[in-house]
């Protein structure tokens, strides 16, 4: 019996070994090494000496860019994530109808997520919102004054936030799947009780979508706090560092200042901050996320 159990365990290890090797080689090892580098004065080309927590002390006490960069990142997150989720939910509700051509609309709306926030799309965004770009040309035809979308510090962060909102397809598909899973009997009962559309949405649809809303919120927050491509390609952190996200600061420290140890310390602070936000969200989910089984494990 003991040999049989051992044999089953060995077969199990054999089957999970590809994932285990990938995890150890491509995730755990880089994570562990980045923490080690954060405790050294390593540069991009050589491993430095062990300096303990000096990088972290310097980051919180001397770095003039760190806190402004975190403030910009939080502002970007608080702008982009709610707009993206609200827009994805709105489109999902509109597409939750039975029609022969509805699958075409669903595919079209999902296309931006396939393209993603690649460098090419970010460059396209830059051309669209430049002073002589398509957006200002359309405003001019409507008789409206142009906007300095990329040069005005008060507008630039909103402009790159729109690039993230444009990729709402994945969240929309998840919301749509959740809407399809809501029993129609609940809507029939609401009609019998005389509930209107907004009342039905607030009392039935939204509570039953909270598990999907929670998942989308966690994933989008994590993604927004790590955003890099849009700020790098569209505005390069400007104007006046109004779009200088923390991801851009990590890049600058590692590849422009050549301070890999210091960049690793910034990365670990960001990682711990994301971990803290995620734990708070999970802790608060008991109060506002509705599970059919009551959230029992």
């Amino acid at each position: 019996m003991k040999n049989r159990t051992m044999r089953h365990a060995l077969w199990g290890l054999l089957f999970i070994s590809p994932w285990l090797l990938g995890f150890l080689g491509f995730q755990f090892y880089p994570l562990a090494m980045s923490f080690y580098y954060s405790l050294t004065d390593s540069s991009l080309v050589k491993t430095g000496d062990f300096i303990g927590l000096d990088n972290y002390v310097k980051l919180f006490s001397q770095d003039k860019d760190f806190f402004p960069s975190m403030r910009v990142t939080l502002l970007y997150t608080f702008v982009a994530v709610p707009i993206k989720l609200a827009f994805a939910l709105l489109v999902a509700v509109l597409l939750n109808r039975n029609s022969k051509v509805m699958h075409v609309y669903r595919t079209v709306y999902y296309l931006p997520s396939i393209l993603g926030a690649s460098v090419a799309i970010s460059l396209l965004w830059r051309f669209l919102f430049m002073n002589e770009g398509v957006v200002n040309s359309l405003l001019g035809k409507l008789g409206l004054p142009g906007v300095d979308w990329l040069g005005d510090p008060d507008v630039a962060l909103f402009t790159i936030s729109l690039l993230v909102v444009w990729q709402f397809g994945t969240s929309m598909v998840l919301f749509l799947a959740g809407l399809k899973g809501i029993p129609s009997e609940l809507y029939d009962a609401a009609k019998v009780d005389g509930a209107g559309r907004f009342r039905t949405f607030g009392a039935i649809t939204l509570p039953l979508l909270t598990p999907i809303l929670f998942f989308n919120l966690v994933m989008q927050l994590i993604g927004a706090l790590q955003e890099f491509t849009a700020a790098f390609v569209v505005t390069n952190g400007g104007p006046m560092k109004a779009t200088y996200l923390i991801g851009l600061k990590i890049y600058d420290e590692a590849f422009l200042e050549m301070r890999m140890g210091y960049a690793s310390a910034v990365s670990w602070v960001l990682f711990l901050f994301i971990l803290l936000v995620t734990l708070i969200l999970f802790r608060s989910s008991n109060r506002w996320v509705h599970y059919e089984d009551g959230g029992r494990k």
Side-chain angles (χ1 to χ4, degrees):
M1 188 66 182
K2 186 176 180 181
N3 290 335
R4 186 177 179 182
T5 303
M6 182 65 72
R7 190 164 57 250
H8 284 172
L10 290 175
W11 273 109
L13 285 174
L14 180 63
F15 279 119
I16 68 168
S17 58
W19 175 86
L20 194 60
L21 292 174
F23 171 75
L24 293 175
F26 297 106
Q27 291 183 303
F28 181 77
Y29 177 74
L31 190 68
M33 288 306 297
S34 73
F35 181 68
Y36 169 73
Y37 286 138
S38 74
L39 304 176
T40 68
D41 59 353
S42 298
S43 69
L44 187 61
V45 294
K46 70 173 184 178
T47 303
D49 298 326
F50 182 81
I51 57 174
L53 298 175
D54 285 2
N55 282 330
Y56 294 93
V57 173
K58 183 179 179 181
L59 180 64
F60 286 105
S61 62
Q62 302 178 26
D63 195 325
K64 297 180 180 178
D65 289 332
F66 174 66
F67 287 109
S69 182
M70 283 298 294
R71 184 185 64 80
V72 171
T73 304
L74 288 175
L75 184 60
Y76 166 81
T77 302
F78 287 139
V79 171
V81 174
I83 296 177
K84 183 177 183 178
L85 292 183
F87 192 62
L89 179 58
L90 174 63
V91 175
V93 171
L94 294 176
L95 296 180
N96 186 32
R97 299 177 182 179
N98 294 322
S99 172
K100 292 182 179 179
V101 296
M102 196 56 68
H103 63 281
V104 176
Y105 290 113
R106 292 168 187 166
T107 304
V108 169
Y109 279 110
Y110 189 67
L111 279 178
S113 292
I114 298 176
L115 297 174
S118 63
V119 174
I121 296 300
S122 298
L123 284 173
L124 174 64
W125 211 254
R126 184 172 182 174
F127 286 118
L128 285 174
F129 285 94
M130 58 194 302
N131 288 337
E132 297 81 18
V134 175
V135 175
N136 275 346
S137 297
L138 292 175
L139 291 176
K141 290 182 179 179
L142 295 174
L144 298 174
V147 178
D148 192 359
W149 299 98
L150 304 178
D152 188 339
D154 296 327
V155 181
L157 190 65
F158 177 73
T159 305
I160 66 169
S161 298
L162 291 179
L163 177 56
V164 178
V165 175
W166 185 66
Q167 307 158 49
F168 65 92
T170 302
S171 299
M172 181 268 292
V173 169
L174 293 174
F175 280 132
L176 191 57
L179 289 170
K180 292 292 183 185
I182 297 177
S184 59
E185 293 82 2
L186 297 178
Y187 292 116
D188 294 336
K191 285 183 180 179
V192 172
D193 292 340
R197 289 186 178 181
F198 290 104
R199 174 68 175 167
T200 303
F201 181 82
I204 297 176
T205 305
L206 195 57
L208 294 181
L209 280 180
T210 50
I212 296 174
L213 178 62
F214 173 66
F215 175 79
N216 275 333
L217 179 62
V218 171
M219 299 306 294
Q220 297 303 327
L221 275 176
I222 293 174
L225 290 170
Q226 299 179 87
E227 179 61 41
F228 169 75
T229 306
F232 179 70
V233 177
V234 179
T235 59
N236 197 24
M240 299 174 63
K241 294 193 174 182
T243 60
Y244 193 61
L245 303 180
I246 194 68
L248 201 54
K249 177 174 174 56
I250 293 172
Y251 172 84
D252 286 348
E253 295 292 348
F255 299 104
L256 296 182
E257 302 295 333
M258 308 285 281
R259 299 189 297 180
M260 190 58 71
Y262 192 74
S264 298
V266 182
S267 300
W268 266 90
V269 171
L270 176 62
F271 168 73
L272 293 176
F273 181 76
I274 292 175
L275 181 63
L276 176 63
V277 171
T278 305
L279 290 175
I280 291 174
L281 283 175
F282 270 90
R283 186 69 177 175
S284 68
S285 66
N286 294 333
R287 298 172 181 251
W288 61 277
V289 178
H290 170 78
Y291 294 103
E292 291 187 8
D293 61 353
R296 296 189 296 272
K297 297 180 180 178

